[in-house]
Structure formats: structure tokens, C-alpha cells
């Protein structure tokens, strides 16, 4: 899920040494839209009270302020470029932040510190660097501690919103609910300033962010309340973020609504919710057109494919599965392997999931074999070094498909391949860093080892299966995920 865009604002102030006749400083252009890694030159002119230029006036400094409602790079390459740019910028400006120029107002100092924290957090999110994200969070918290909300409400609200986005990112990367709860609190705090009646657009952008945090919280467990609250937040935001007023933010929020509807539809096994999910994604395509925004169009096609896959699983419909396959293959037309290898690989992984689901239900080994082919293709691009979490997820998906193929074989080649794939995934996904993914993979490994143990003499594989199930139960608790806990207990026997 994503929110809106990266907004760059500039605040320019003349130093006390400027001639007394100076009344204002005019910056041209006063707003600009840039591509990732694009540049633009700004000009500044000092003017007197009558609007006439002041000759030889010295402008001592310019303070950049970064207000991130969200960052929405459409590809992994764009994210990496932006992360590198922010990293270089942090190094360049850190001396200024450590020892700011004399004579700056308290508000400007706070804006400078907040901007630095936002940049740290954004660079960390783009690079998936939790240490840098934690430093950004610490910087933003220090700004909030020093900011009087009554005196500087907008600086305070902007910083709360930035902190929320950073904490939500940490919660997703480390799979920790505490961060997600703190993120939601930060967003709600920002909305005490960004009130719907006073600043409706700011309120709506933060309300979308609230929806993303609620969805992340809901995805962790097995209930429906946080997901339903996320849907309510997205729909509230869409009452303000109209297609005529802010078409990009509107489309992003529609797309987010579709993701949340899919999650709720799966939880409730409700085909109508899943159909509504497809409609929301298709609605976003009125802005994310293939001709104008091909990368966003392709990403939305992937979301449509995911919703159709879930709908096919509930209705056991081959036709719907085939529609999902079409959506992923449309996305692959925009993601060629040679120029967008990561997106090509991730889409192949998702395509493999549809083929595997179809093959499992149809008992057609050809669909499962096509799924394995898609996963292996993705793994030619994804590596433990360049994208470790995506590589580990694809290894787990490969294990699932090989396990399904093993049902129809009398030997052990497929099931041994499944065990190997799960263990490869666990070489990257650790209990400390990704507890939920780790537990799921341990459960899958336990099932594969149990199957292997039934086909071979001796008790070694069965003992290993018991150990894997017990490891999963170290994460799956009755309080948080009762269904997963109960299923694992049954498998453990």
C-alpha cells in the first residue's frame, strides 16, 4: 500500500545583514514537479516595499524543508535512486544541521530538524534499512519534544505525520504490532491540527495514511475490525480526495481501498467484497492509464490479479483464476525482464501463485509445473543479497508448489525439493526479524517433512517435523492468531 507523493518545499529567509530597504525575497519558480533524480534551478530576488529589486542584497541561506505525505516510487530502481539521493543529501547537509547558522528563528530551526528526520526516515524506508529508519524516528521524536503545538501547529503536525509513516514502515519490516499502534497514534495526533473542517486536503492525506496503518494492523491477526476501520478511513479520505481535485492521490487511495477490501473479503470468505476490490482497482485505472502512467497501471493490474486469485479460491472458479492470470500477464507486458528485472520477477512470483492455486484445485500437474517454472524464473533475478525478503518469499512459494506436486508422485524428488526450498527461505527469514513469516515457513517445512517421513523409513524426518511445528507455535499464540495456533496444534498431533 502507498499514499501520495514526495513533496519538496523550500523556505528562504534573508539574513539580518540585508539592506534595510529589503522587504521580501521572491523565489522562482515557487513550485515544481520533478522526476526521480531530476534537478531544477531556483532563482531568488530581494525586493523593497514597492516590489522593486534591491541591488547587491545578500541572501545568506536557504533552508530546504521536506514534507513527505508519502513516497511512491513505481519501481525498485526508482526507489534505489531516491534512496541514494537522500543518502548523499544527508551527508551533505548534516554539518549545517549540527551547527546551524546564527540568528535563525526557533520555527526555522525546528523545520530544519524535522526535515532532516524526514529525510533519514525516507531514505531508510526506501533502502529497507531499519537502523536508518530508527535514527529518523529518534530525530522526529526529539523535534516533537521541543515543539510547542500551540506556537507551531503545522510544524508539529507535519512531524507527527512523518513519524507515523516511519513507524508504520518499521512495523511492516519487523512485523511488530507496537510500531503500527504508535504510527496510528501519530497520525491521529496530526489530525488534531489537520482538521477536516479547517485543512481538508491535509486531513484526507493523513486519513489515507491511517487506513494503511489500520490495514497493516489487521493483516497481522485474524480478526476483521482493524481492516473494516481501514476501509472506513479510505472511504472517508475519498470524500475529500476527488478525481477532479487531486487525481493521483484519489487513485492511490482507491487502489488502497481495493487492497483492504480484498483482505476483508478473504477473512469473511465474501465474494461480493472481493468483487468490490476488483472494482476499486479498476476505478483507479481511470487515472493510472497505461499510456500516461504505465508503471502505476501495471502495479494496479497486479492488484487486480491478486483480488481475482482470492475470488477464484473462494468460488473455486477456473474462469476467475484465468482472469487473474491475464491481469498478471498484462503487467508483464510493461515489466520486461531486461529493463525492469525486479518488477518482472515479483510479478512472476505472483503469477506462479495463481497457477499453483489453479493446479491444486484442478489436480492438473501442468499448472503446478508452470507455477514452478515461474518461481524459478523469478529466482534467477531475486537473490538473497539484492532482495532477501522477496527471494525468501519466492522460495517459500516454490516449496508450496513442489509440495503440491508431491501429492501425485510416488517418489520423493518433489517433496525433497520442497524441504530444500523452505530451508532456503529460513536461511534469510529469522525469528527475530520476521517472526510471522518465519513461523509460517516453519509450519510449511513441518508439513513437508511429515510427508517425507511417511515415505521413508526411520523417524528422523518426523522428528524434524515436530521440531518445526513447535518452533511455529513459539510465534502462533492463541491470543493473537488462534486459527494458526489451532491448525499447527492439529498438525503436530
Amino acid at each position: 500500500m502507498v499514499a501520495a507523493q514526495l513533496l519538496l518545499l523550500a523556505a528562504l529567509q534573508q539574513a539580518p545583514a540585508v539592506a534595510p530597504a529589503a522587504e521580501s525575497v521572491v523565489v522562482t519558480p515557487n513550485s515544481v514537479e520533478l522526476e526521480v533524480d531530476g534537478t531544477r534551478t531556483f532563482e531568488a530576488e530581494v525586493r523593497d516595499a514597492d516590489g522593486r529589486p534591491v541591488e547587491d542584497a545578500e541572501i545568506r541561506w536557504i533552508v530546504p524543508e521536506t514534507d513527505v505525505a508519502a513516497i511512491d516510487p513505481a519501481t525498485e530502481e526508482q526507489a534505489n535512486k531516491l534512496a541514494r539521493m537522500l543518502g548523499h543529501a544527508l551527508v551533505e547537509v548534516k554539518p549545517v544541521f549540527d551547527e546551524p547558522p546564527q540568528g535563525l528563528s526557533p520555527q526555522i530551526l525546528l523545520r530544519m530538524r524535522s526535515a532532516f528526520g524526514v529525510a533519514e526516515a525516507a531514505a531508510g524506508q526506501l533502502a529497507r534499512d531499519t537502523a536508518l529508519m530508527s535514527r529518523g524516528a529518534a530525530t522526529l521524536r526529539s523535534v516533537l519534544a521541543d515543539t510547542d503545538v500551540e506556537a507551531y501547529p503545522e510544524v508539529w503536525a507535519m512531524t507527527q505525520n512523518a513519524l507515523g509513516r516511519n513507524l508504520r514502515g518499521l512495523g511492516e519490516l519487523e512485523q511488530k504490532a507496537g510500531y503500527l499502534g504508535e504510527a496510528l497514534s501519530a497520525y491521529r495526533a496530526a489530525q488534531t491540527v489537520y482538521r477536516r473542517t479547517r485543512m481538508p486536503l491535509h486531513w484526507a492525506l493523513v486519513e489515507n495514511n491511517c487506513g494503511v496503518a489500520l490495514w497493516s494492523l489487521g493483516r497481522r491477526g485474524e480478526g476483521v475490525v482493524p481492516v473494516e476501520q481501514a476501509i472506513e478511513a479510505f472511504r472517508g479520505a475519498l470524500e475529500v480526495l476527488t478525481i477532479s481535485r487531486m487525481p493521483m492521490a484519489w487513485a492511490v487511495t482507491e487502489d488502497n481501498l481495493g487492497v483492504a477490501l480484498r483482505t476483508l473479503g478473504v477473512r469473511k470468505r465474501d465474494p461480493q467484497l472481493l468483487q468490490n476490490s476488483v472494482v476499486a482497482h479498476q476505478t483507479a485505472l481511470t487515472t493510472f492509464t497505461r499510456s500516461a502512467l504505465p508503471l502505476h497501471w501495471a502495479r494496479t493490474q497486479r492488484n487486480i490479479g491478486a483480488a481475482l486469485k482470492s475470488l477464484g479460491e473462494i468460488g473455486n472458479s477456473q474462469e476467475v483464476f484465468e482472469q487473474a492470470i491475464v491481469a498478471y500477464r498484462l503487467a508483464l507486458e510493461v515489466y520486461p525482464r531486461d529493463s525492469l528485472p525486479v518488477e518482472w520477477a515479483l510479478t512472476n512470483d505472483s503469477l506462479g501463485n495463481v497457477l499453483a492455486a489453479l493446479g491444486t484445485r484442478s489436480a492438473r500437474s501442468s499448472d503446478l509445473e508452470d507455477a514452478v517454472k515461474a518461481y524459478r524464473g523469478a529466482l534467477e533475478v531475486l537473490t538473497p543479497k539484492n532482495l532477501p525478503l522477496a527471494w525468501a518469499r519466492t522460495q517459500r512459494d516454490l516449496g508450496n508448489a513442489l509440495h503440491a506436486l508431491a501429492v501425485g508422485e510416488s517418489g520423493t524428488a518433489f517433496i525433497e525439493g520442497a524441504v530444500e526450498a523452505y530451508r532456503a527461505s529460513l536461511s534469510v527469514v529469522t525469528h527475530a526479524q520476521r517472526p510471522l513469516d518465519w513461523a509460517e515457513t516453519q509450519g510449511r517445512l513441518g508439513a513437508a517433512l511429515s510427508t517425507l517421513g511417511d515415505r521413508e523409513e526411520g523417524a528422523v524426518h518426523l522428528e524434524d517435523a515436530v521440531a518445526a511445528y513447535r518452533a511455529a507455535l513459539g510465534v502462533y499464540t492463541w491470543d493473537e492468531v488462534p486459527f494458526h495456533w489451532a491448525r499447527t496444534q492439529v498438525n503436530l498431533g
Side-chain angles (χ1 to χ4, degrees):
M1 279 198 176
V2 294
Q5 304 170 11
L6 174 66
L7 309 177
L8 295 179
L9 311 177
L12 184 148
Q13 180 172 319
Q14 65 189 56
V18 175
E23 178 70 18
S24 63
V25 181
V26 177
V27 181
T28 308
N30 59 13
S31 66
V32 66
E33 181 175 334
L34 293 175
E35 297 293 329
V36 173
D37 76 358
T39 60
R40 184 67 182 268
T41 300
F42 290 83
E43 295 182 356
E45 183 179 60
V46 178
R47 295 182 182 177
D48 62 19
D50 296 322
R52 293 173 299 196
V54 176
E55 298 296 332
D56 299 323
E58 180 184 1
I59 300 172
R60 292 284 180 82
W61 45 265
I62 295 177
V63 179
E65 174 188 315
T66 309
D67 180 11
V68 182
I71 296 175
D72 186 16
T75 68
E76 187 70 17
E77 182 182 6
Q78 287 183 358
N80 290 335
K81 281 185 178 179
L82 190 51
R84 288 194 296 271
M85 289 175 62
L86 285 170
H88 293 319
L90 288 168
V91 172
E92 292 274 340
V93 302
K94 192 174 188 308
V96 177
F97 284 92
D98 289 340
E99 296 184 17
Q102 297 295 315
L104 304 186
S105 69
Q107 182 178 15
I108 293 298
L109 286 170
L110 288 170
R111 286 181 179 273
M112 288 175 63
R113 288 170 57 198
S114 180
F116 194 77
V118 169
E120 282 181 317
Q125 290 172 51
L126 291 163
R128 301 181 183 89
D129 182 339
T130 56
L132 186 53
M133 292 171 72
S134 296
R135 289 206 300 274
T139 301
L140 294 169
R141 288 187 197 277
S142 72
V143 173
L144 290 169
D146 295 340
T147 303
D148 181 348
V149 64
E150 298 296 331
Y152 310 115
E154 293 189 18
V155 174
W156 185 85
M158 178 194 75
T159 307
Q160 288 283 8
N161 184 45
L163 177 63
R165 289 202 67 256
N166 187 44
L167 291 171
R168 186 258 167 179
L170 276 170
E172 280 288 307
L173 282 173
E174 297 190 355
Q175 295 188 323
K176 293 180 179 177
Y179 284 132
L180 299 173
E182 291 181 66
L184 189 59
S185 296
Y187 290 140
R188 294 304 187 203
Q191 287 181 316
T192 62
V193 173
Y194 295 151
R195 295 191 298 274
R196 182 169 181 171
T197 54
R198 178 173 173 266
M199 303 178 73
L201 292 179
H202 287 73
W203 174 88
L205 290 171
V206 178
E207 185 71 0
N208 174 67
N209 292 349
C210 287
V212 175
L214 286 162
W215 173 80
S216 294
L217 274 168
R219 190 172 63 149
R220 283 182 53 86
E222 295 172 356
V224 298
V225 172
V227 183
E228 289 174 335
Q229 291 173 338
I231 291 169
E232 183 180 352
F234 293 135
R235 285 177 170 157
L238 286 167
E239 293 174 3
V240 176
L241 301 174
T242 62
I243 189 171
S244 59
R245 180 182 279 181
M246 295 186 74
M248 284 292 292
W250 170 84
V252 165
T253 309
E254 280 284 357
D255 211 32
N256 288 347
L257 173 62
V259 173
L261 286 167
R262 180 177 84 235
T263 302
L264 187 60
V266 170
R267 293 277 168 85
K268 290 189 168 184
R269 297 192 63 79
D270 185 338
Q272 186 59 56
L273 286 169
L274 292 169
Q275 289 167 0
N276 292 345
S277 169
V278 174
V279 170
H281 293 310
Q282 290 172 336
T283 301
L285 290 177
T286 58
T287 293
F288 294 153
T289 63
R290 183 167 182 172
S291 58
L293 294 162
L295 297 174
H296 291 75
W297 178 87
R299 185 173 63 195
T300 306
Q301 289 291 348
R302 288 171 59 183
N303 286 337
I304 290 172
L308 289 168
K309 171 183 174 286
S310 297
L311 185 59
E313 288 173 329
I314 287 177
N316 199 25
S317 169
Q318 179 173 334
E319 180 183 357
V320 176
F321 279 127
E322 289 172 350
Q323 291 172 0
I325 291 169
V326 168
Y328 284 122
R329 286 184 170 151
L330 284 171
L332 285 170
E333 292 177 6
V334 176
Y335 295 145
R337 178 171 177 170
D338 55 346
S339 58
L340 292 169
V342 172
E343 286 68 34
W344 177 88
L346 295 175
T347 306
N348 264 289
D349 177 52
S350 298
L351 175 61
N353 289 340
V354 181
L355 291 165
L358 179 58
T360 300
R361 283 157 179 77
S362 67
R364 285 203 307 258
S365 61
S366 59
D367 291 324
L368 290 167
E369 289 165 358
D370 287 344
V372 169
K373 187 183 299 183
Y375 295 137
R376 293 199 191 281
L379 290 169
E380 292 174 4
V381 174
L382 306 173
T383 70
K385 184 178 181 180
N386 69 357
L387 280 170
L389 294 180
W391 177 85
R393 183 179 61 246
T394 305
Q395 286 284 2
R396 187 182 65 209
D397 293 340
L398 173 61
N400 295 343
L402 290 169
H403 196 175
L405 277 168
V407 173
E409 72 163 345
S410 57
T412 60
F414 285 132
I415 198 63
E416 287 174 350
V419 169
E420 180 182 356
Y422 292 136
R423 284 179 168 156
S425 181
L426 289 168
S427 70
V428 167
V429 175
T430 66
H431 179 279
Q433 293 179 330
R434 302 281 294 183
L436 295 176
D437 288 349
W438 180 85
E440 180 181 348
T441 309
Q442 287 285 1
R444 302 277 187 178
L445 174 61
L449 287 166
S450 181
T451 301
L452 184 58
D454 289 340
R455 296 185 184 183
E456 291 189 345
E457 294 182 0
V460 173
H461 295 310
L462 293 174
E463 291 169 353
D464 289 346
V466 169
Y469 285 135
R470 285 180 172 158
L473 288 171
V475 175
Y476 290 154
T477 64
W478 171 258
D479 291 335
E480 186 171 8
V481 281
F483 174 77
H484 286 76
W485 177 87
R487 184 181 62 186
T488 308
Q489 288 284 7
V490 169
N491 290 337
L492 182 59

